[in-house]
Amino acid sequence: MIEKLPPSWQQALAAEFEKPYFRQLIEFLRVERQQHVVYPPEDDVFTSLWLTPIERVKVVIVGQDPYHGEGQAHGLSFSVAPGVKPPPSLVNILRELNDDLGCPIPNHGCLAQWAQRGVLLLNASLTVRAHEPNSHKDIGWELFTDAILRTLNDRSRPMVFLLWGKFAQKKGQLISAERHRVITGAHPSPLSAKKFLGSRPFSAVNRALQELGDEPIQWELAS
């Protein structure tokens, strides 16, 4: 699977590939895919890293687990593959984007355009067994994705970390708030939608980027 990573990330994370946990993770996934349906497809596991090379990361949005329904997950946190109905959390994200910045709600739930503009859409776990949420929790992915966050934290170029919900906010321990900007808020899940809706996270991220001397993100998604 290492060869499926883009060169910039391969170089940045080279030390992780030599660690026992990563080798065990790869072997676990090899056997798991033989015995179960696993999402996303193997070629999509590292989509977030392919679409957002390390040198282009301006914003990081941390998710927890890939969607576990058929055809949904494609390697980007909160995003679904083109043609797939947006789940409730994503519906709330797109609704808030419209309320916050006036961006039209697109006719799809694919956030790849954000990734191409410098928004790293990173889940803590990069795979999941079909219809079994959190089934790949604690198999090693968190060690790997925490290493990604530490690597970004160590970069001299400051960036913005957008952490929705308690799980993501715990990742703030890996980030130096003195160098980077950390924006927290409620999770877009229907369970916390009342707190999420109206939080205006997208304009907050753009203000933070401008304060850091960087260009704001173009958040509008073309239909």
Side-chain angles (χ1 to χ4, degrees), residues 101-176:
L101 296 177
C103 297
I105 296 176
N107 59 1
H108 62 86
C110 179
L111 306 180
Q113 295 171 63
W114 289 0
Q116 292 164 339
R117 297 166 189 164
V119 182
L120 180 64
L121 297 166
L122 183 69
N123 277 319
S125 294
L126 299 188
T127 57
V128 68
R129 190 182 296 179
H131 312 300
E132 297 185 34
N134 287 316
S135 50
H136 286 181
K137 184 177 184 293
D138 298 328
I139 67 168
W141 277 131
E142 292 90 344
L143 296 173
F144 181 68
T145 53
D146 280 359
I148 292 175
L149 294 175
R150 290 191 184 95
T151 298
L152 291 170
N153 180 66
D154 291 343
R155 279 181 50 197
S156 57
R157 177 184 178 181
M159 65 193 71
V160 181
F161 292 82
L162 182 55
L163 307 179
W164 285 327
K166 292 181 180 179
F167 177 87
Q169 287 164 20
K170 290 181 180 178
K171 301 297 183 181
Q173 299 171 3
L174 306 174
I175 301 160
S176 170

Side-chain angles (χ1 to χ4, degrees), residues 39-41 44 66-76 79-81 84 123 128:
Y39 297 134
D44 290 341
Y67 295 122
H68 54 84
E70 182 178 358
Q72 291 179 313
H74 67 134
L76 301 174
S79 178
V80 290
V84 176
N123 277 319
V128 68

Side-chain angles (χ1 to χ4, degrees), residues 9-66:
W9 282 109
Q10 283 193 38
Q11 182 177 359
L13 299 169
E16 295 303 304
F17 306 141
E18 303 302 321
K19 295 180 179 179
Y21 87 84
F22 193 83
R23 296 175 181 175
Q24 293 166 8
L25 169 62
I26 298 305
E27 177 60 18
F28 172 88
L29 290 171
R30 186 188 67 80
V31 175
E32 183 81 344
R33 287 190 184 276
Q34 291 175 349
Q35 299 176 349
H36 303 278
V37 176
V38 174
Y39 297 134
E42 188 171 354
D43 287 345
D44 290 341
V45 169
F46 295 124
T47 296
S48 60
L49 304 182
W50 270 107
L51 293 183
T52 317
I54 187 169
E55 67 274 8
R56 292 178 54 193
V57 178
K58 297 167 62 172
V59 179
V60 182
I61 298 180
V62 177
Q64 184 170 356
D65 205 35

